[in-house]
Amino acid sequence: MATPKAINFVRTRRSSLIAAIFLMATSAIGPGFITQTATFTATMGASFAFGILASIVIDFFVQQNIWRIVTLTRMRAADIANAAIPGSGYLLAILVIFGGLVFNIGNIAGSGLGLNALIGLEPKLGGLLSAIMAIFIFSSQRAGIAIDRIIIVLGVAMITLTLFVAYVSNPPLGEALRQTVLPDNINFATITTIVGGTVGGYICYAGAHRLLDKGVAGIENIQAVSRAATNGILVVGLMRYILFLAILGVVSSGVIIDISSKDANPASQAFQAAAGQFGLRIFGLILWAAAITSVIGAAYTSISFITVFSQKFTERKRNITTIIFIAISLLIYIVLGTPPAALLVFAGGFNGLILPIGLTIFIYVGWCRADLMQGYHYPRWLLWLGAITCALTWYMGFMSIEPIFSFLKTA
């Protein structure tokens, strides 16, 4: 019979794994992904289904390798990079923190758009109130518990509401399924942007760092961590495809979605076309939930990289630094004046350019640095597929630099 201590350990580990899954999932399904999906579905139609599939496959191999190696080494990503290639951890930290800042400006913008659609609040005021809420969460003495619970509740709400809109919009399922594997056209810039918006930059490290902070690490937890990563990717993949179908149904019905005007909000238009004013309110709640969880996830994960510059960061100091990070993101958003939709699309593309740098280091550790992983015999099939994914992200990133930065020219 299991002892109370053993039962409590299992429950605590399960809770930590669920929290990590939803932190990764909600980070991957933020306002950037929602806006990108609406924008690219409007321009590519059912062909964009292939981009969704590509992002899920890339996500799987990226997350499996990163979650495993962080767990096995019991170190955060930047520390792993420094241990493997001296100095590379500092570069990775700078890129991820900067990429997280770019994304968080977009996340705050997304929260403003969400509240605008939900209750008609002016977007910048909505962004201000949402950022203050995130700061309040990190100011709490029980910040860790609050983060876990809020992210899980809002994550479930996002999936449920999007599923409803996908049903109402009545998308052409057969055509979508065909073009998922046999697309009429492939656009590398689109795939790089959507990959960046779902697994690039800070996102791929969010769940892994949360597990580390919860003490779920080491060889003894590797199978549970691997299953958690797989389950998280399934949750993310399901949400991505449902959102795509919801918007595809609107586009296929002949509704023209405006993606060119300065203040366009493509996803909002799609949800409103599918379900009227009720659809618009649903969109507002989904976008706000996605944005506020992403503000929390981006700030938490980005600041988890700052410890590579100093090991003296206590949890309290990290929370204070995280609050400052959110405040800076808010200030830039208010002053910048960049259209939220354009900023969200660019943020995904920029973080897609960061992804292959960190992934290259992790694949190197998996191949050559068993000493950092307690001598663990790393699965070669996973490394091979991870290496192929890494090469693919480098190629897509190289081919997409100019198109991604052109998103800022339309702002």
Side-chain angles (χ1 to χ4, degrees):
M1 181 179 292
T3 65
K5 184 176 181 180
I7 293 173
N8 185 60
F9 169 76
V10 171
R11 286 177 178 171
T12 300
R13 188 179 73 171
R14 183 170 61 242
S15 175
S16 298
L17 291 170
I18 292 172
I21 287 171
F22 274 90
L23 181 62
M24 182 264 280
T26 52
S27 294
I29 313 167
F33 177 77
I34 293 173
T35 302
Q36 292 155 18
T37 299
T39 300
F40 296 137
T41 304
T43 55
M44 298 179 65
S47 293
F48 183 54
F50 179 77
I52 298 289
L53 176 63
S55 75
I56 293 170
V57 172
I58 291 171
D59 196 355
F60 177 80
F61 295 118
V62 170
Q63 298 284 15
Q64 280 289 351
N65 280 291
I66 288 177
W67 281 41
R68 280 173 177 263
I69 292 175
V70 167
T71 300
L72 289 166
T73 59
R74 299 177 184 268
M75 293 188 288
R76 293 190 177 89
D79 295 317
I80 294 171
N82 268 346
I85 306 172
S88 63
Y90 300 122
L91 173 63
L92 181 62
I94 291 170
L95 289 173
V96 169
I97 292 170
F98 179 72
L101 181 66
V102 173
F103 236 133
N104 226 28
I105 297 166
N107 290 335
I108 292 173
S111 68
L113 286 177
L115 289 180
N116 176 257
L118 181 62
I119 58 176
L121 203 62
E122 199 278 324
K124 287 198 173 182
L125 179 58
L128 172 65
L129 293 177
S130 299
I132 290 173
M133 179 179 175
I135 288 172
F136 176 76
I137 290 169
F138 280 104
S139 300
S140 169
Q141 292 182 345
R142 296 169 63 85
I145 296 174
I147 290 168
D148 292 345
R149 290 178 179 172
I150 289 169
I151 283 175
I152 291 172
V153 170
L154 293 179
V156 172
M158 286 162 56
I159 294 173
T160 305
L161 292 171
T162 308
L163 185 60
F164 167 75
V165 175
Y167 173 77
V168 171
S169 72
N170 191 27
L173 278 173
E175 182 66 9
L177 290 173
R178 180 186 73 81
Q179 297 217 45
T180 300
V181 292
L182 294 171
D184 289 343
N185 66 81
I186 299 174
N187 186 306
F188 285 120
T190 296
I191 296 174
T192 301
T193 298
I194 207 71
V195 166
T198 56
V199 72
Y202 77 92
I203 298 171
C204 55
Y205 307 106
H209 281 194
R210 191 66 181 152
L211 285 178
L212 202 62
D213 287 344
K214 291 283 188 176
V216 182
I219 292 176
E220 65 273 18
N221 287 304
I222 193 65
Q223 293 305 318
V225 167
S226 179
R227 284 194 300 271
T230 299
N231 290 336
I233 293 159
L234 289 175
V235 170
V236 171
L238 178 66
M239 178 65 178
R240 289 177 192 170
Y241 209 78
I242 290 172
L243 179 65
F244 159 70
L245 289 175
I247 297 169
L248 180 64
V250 173
V251 172
S252 300
S253 70
V255 173
I256 305 299
I257 295 178
D258 175 23
I259 61 171
S260 60
S261 65
K262 188 176 179 65
D263 298 315
N265 189 347
S268 171
Q269 298 168 52
F271 275 66
Q272 187 170 13
Q277 284 300 307
F278 182 60
L280 179 63
R281 305 306 175 212
I282 287 177
F283 164 76
L285 182 56
I286 291 172
L287 186 64
W288 181 81
I292 193 67
T293 51
S294 293
V295 168
I296 293 169
Y300 169 84
T301 308
S302 298
I303 295 306
S304 71
F305 276 79
I306 207 166
T307 56
V308 74
F309 299 104
S310 173
Q311 299 301 317
K312 297 179 180 179
F313 269 84
T314 62
E315 184 174 356
R316 174 171 169 73
K317 286 182 179 179
R318 276 180 54 190
N319 284 346
I320 292 172
T321 308
T322 304
I323 290 170
I324 294 171
F325 183 85
I326 296 172
I328 292 173
S329 305
L330 173 63
L331 181 62
I332 295 174
Y333 163 61
I334 291 174
V335 172
L336 196 61
T338 302
L343 185 60
L344 288 167
V345 175
F346 168 74
F350 181 81
N351 280 278
L353 299 177
I354 294 174
L355 174 62
I357 297 172
L359 186 56
T360 299
I361 296 170
F362 272 76
I363 296 301
Y364 166 72
V365 171
W367 275 112
C368 306
R369 297 301 302 270
D371 58 308
L372 296 176
M373 299 183 292
Q374 307 175 56
Y376 176 74
H377 183 67
Y378 207 92
R380 287 304 187 221
W381 67 269
L382 187 56
L383 279 175
W384 274 113
L385 292 172
I388 293 170
T389 302
C390 184
L392 181 62
T393 57
W394 274 112
Y395 175 74
M396 291 193 306
F398 179 76
M399 296 293 290
S400 308
I401 293 174
E402 184 176 346
I404 285 169
F405 277 89
S406 70
F407 287 127
L408 284 183
K409 296 177 183 178
T410 63

